[in-house]
Amino acid sequence: MATFLFYLLSIITVASVVAMIFSRHQAHNALLLAVAFTSLGGLFALLQAPFIATVQIIIYAGAIMVLFIFVIMMIDLRQPFPPLRKKWVFALGALLIVVIFFELIMVIKSFPTASKATNLDFGHPASLGKLLFSKYLYPFEITSILIVAAMVGSLYLARRKER
Amino acid sequence: MNEFASLSPLLILVGASLIILLLEAFGQWSKRWLHSLIALASLGGCAIFAATFWGKGAGYFQGTYTLDNIAILMTVLFSLAGFLVILVSLSYMIQHGFNRGEYFSLLLFAVSGLIIMTTSEDLIVIFLGLETLSVASYVLAGLKKEDEKSSEAAIKYFLLGSLASSFLVLGLAFIFIHSQSFSLKEISFVIDKSENSPLFLIGFSLVLIGFGFKVALVPFHMWTPDVYQGAPTPITAFFSVGPKAAGFLVLFRLLRPFLEPIFSRQNLQIILWLLSALTMIVGNLVALRQKNVKRLLAYSSIAHAGYLTIALMTQDGQGLIFYLLAYLFMNIGAFSILIALSPNGQEFHELDDFNGLATRAPWLAASMSVFLVSLAGFPPTAGFLAKFYVFSTAVRQGYTGLVIIAVLTSLISVFYYLRIIVHMYMSKQISKITIKADDPILLVVIFFCLYGVLQLGLFPGRVLTLIQKAVLSLPPL
């Protein structure tokens, strides 16, 4: 079952990313990226990292996609981008792909085995919560002040003039 | 219980800020004076409560929050800055159309960010304090929503500030990879074992860039003139005093383990030497060409960051804090005069607007002259003593070349400071701008700053011993 899910999610991820690259419509691009992020979250869940999976979906597929869609809405591009015709762009892209490919191979070769890299608790919500409410309690509390300040500020700037 | 009470300065500020927000939402329109009263009372309470912990070394949250003597001094300094800024903005905010509770609330958040930064030796906490300060500052810069320059200042500050924050975060990540800790104490243990780890050097330089941006050191100063000019004048006064003081104090704590004369960390000293020299030269030379006094003061604040970097390099905590205190009085004083020249929603800050100010408002002109003379560093003002202490320590530690540059650039600065005085006293034409010289609160603040500048310049003894005690109470490394 897990193997089947893994292949299913992988195929969805890769397919949506490829479709995103070839699509020339911004809204479709954003949607396909959201699909890719969500299925990537599913892959994390399969690897028994429930927290990372949730964060992946909430933050990437949720918050960041909303940001993208807002930007697309604001700059209001009616017609899609014309396809690229410059040769050096393709050359540069090809070069980068080769470099990244070799980098990935090197990383995979030198990758430590799973038991070395992580212990069982890694990325588990409970262990994270324990840290957040013990060792990192003070930073956690400051974050709430930070968020209130940001909220007050953005509400002030976004409101229309009154009276 | 006593330990928990040490959090009170911070709790008072955040609590007051939230109360003001609630009052803004549900309170009556006619009772808005209450906002400013709460804000002022909370800043006063913050300073008093902090002062009661003098010498006790109290802390909370397993040492990530420590109210040591230096932190207490800085808390008092920040509260004083916030207090004066609120006082000078009382009539300014009504005339310039941002008379809202959010202003006080954001200012209090900014001050609590400053306090968070200076009361910790934990890099995560310092970063979050800096972000609280920054987020509040971005909005404060753009408070005048109808004003294009103010919005431009907010956007520029936000974009460049976020960039600087990302440098800082990346640097912290590198340092964490190297030392597996965010606590400065533990990091300094690890560093002593491994002399020159590239990871650590990269991380450290990135952190230096992040803070260099905040305190406006020269390659990272581009935002300063535009933001200072566009932001509402009281906020500019706050920017030039608060974030700068906090940034330098954090850098002081951060660099302490790495600048001990015994180890002589060559690379770091060369970097700081270059930053300081560049900041002094560029800041002072570009200030020569400014026609707008607010912009001129922005470049002057860049130049002063250069002098402060000398104190950082020589690890002269006493000179650094004294300089920051002197800078608070002379800068808030000078900006208060600029506020007196911003009546009814307009701002007259060109050099020509100062023509003949001496005949029209002799007291304002005289006080402005004292502040400018102090900024230039003439005796018997605080600015002279501040520079004198910093430079003499540097000479004693053998940085003669840097001090020569500092003295030469100070001489250059005399030219542009004196030019404003010449415009005020010796100009034939008299500008016709309206001057708001009858606001009693503004006059009280100007008088208080005048008193501070002269007191620190003539009888600095008691303040100096206080600062010395605080610096000596730092734990040895």
Side-chain angles (χ1 to χ4, degrees), chain B residues 305-336:
Chain B
Y307 305 132
L308 284 161
T309 312
I310 300 180
L312 206 63
M313 209 167 119
T314 54
Q315 283 295 294
D316 176 14
Q318 195 183 347
L320 185 76
I321 296 176
F322 185 78
Y323 202 120
L324 290 172
L325 192 64
Y327 190 66
L328 182 150
F329 285 117
M330 51 203 190
N331 227 30
I332 290 190
F335 277 108
S336 311

Side-chain angles (χ1 to χ4, degrees), chain B residues 315-374:
Chain B
Q315 283 295 294
D316 176 14
Q318 195 183 347
L320 185 76
I321 296 176
F322 185 78
Y323 202 120
L324 290 172
L325 192 64
Y327 190 66
L328 182 150
F329 285 117
M330 51 203 190
N331 227 30
I332 290 190
F335 277 108
S336 311
I337 308 276
L338 289 189
I339 290 167
L341 294 179
S342 345
N344 309 323
Q346 293 159 297
E347 296 203 322
F348 298 107
H349 295 157
E350 296 301 316
L351 263 177
D352 291 337
D353 295 330
F354 281 77
N355 286 345
L357 193 69
T359 47
R360 299 186 58 203
W363 278 105
L364 285 187
S367 333
M368 185 65 171
S369 309
V370 174
F371 296 136
L372 291 173
V373 159
S374 176

